[in-house]
Amino acid sequence: MPTDERLIATPQRTVTAICALLEYGLARNHEEARTVHAQLEHLRKDFPHSPALPLSLALLGQLRQVLLVLCILAGEEDGPGERVTRFSRMADTVRELAI
């Protein structure tokens, strides 16, 4: 049975910012961060000149979850600060895209 998965046009600059944040997780061998980062990089290669990438609602949900987990890890490691704020703001941005 085919799924009716809605795709959300996500600006390249947002995807670039998400990938930069996911690198924090990659440096800490966070498997979920590695998985979603690889998916985003694959899409970036498939649509190199597009101003936006088609992200599924499922992928957006995964991204939000990973960003929130990394936010918690950053808070445990560094305490409150700019890094925690960047993770939480990007998680909010991802949530807003999915609405």
Side-chain angles (χ1 to χ4, degrees):
M1 182 172 180
T3 61
D4 185 25
E5 183 66 44
R6 193 172 70 153
L7 298 176
I8 307 298
T10 307
Q12 279 276 10
R13 67 182 181 280
T14 301
V15 174
T16 299
I18 291 170
C19 285
L21 290 172
L22 291 174
E23 288 177 12
Y24 176 83
L26 298 179
R28 280 142 189 84
N29 293 320
H30 190 269
E31 191 60 38
E32 290 83 8
R34 183 179 328 284
T35 300
V36 293
H37 188 272
Q39 291 173 344
L40 290 177
E41 288 299 324
H42 180 74
L43 283 169
R44 290 172 82 179
K45 289 177 185 172
D46 286 349
F47 300 93
H49 303 294
S50 177
L53 297 179
L55 302 186
S56 69
L57 287 175
L59 180 55
L60 287 171
Q62 288 176 307
L63 285 170
R64 183 168 183 264
Q65 181 178 358
V66 169
L67 289 168
L68 290 173
V69 168
L70 294 178
C71 179
I72 292 167
L73 292 174
E76 290 173 350
E77 188 173 294
D78 301 332
E82 182 182 343
R83 184 177 304 185
V84 171
T85 301
R86 289 189 347 233
F87 280 115
S88 64
R89 284 185 180 162
M90 189 56 72
D92 287 345
T93 298
V94 170
R95 180 183 54 80
E96 290 170 7
L97 285 169
I99 293 176

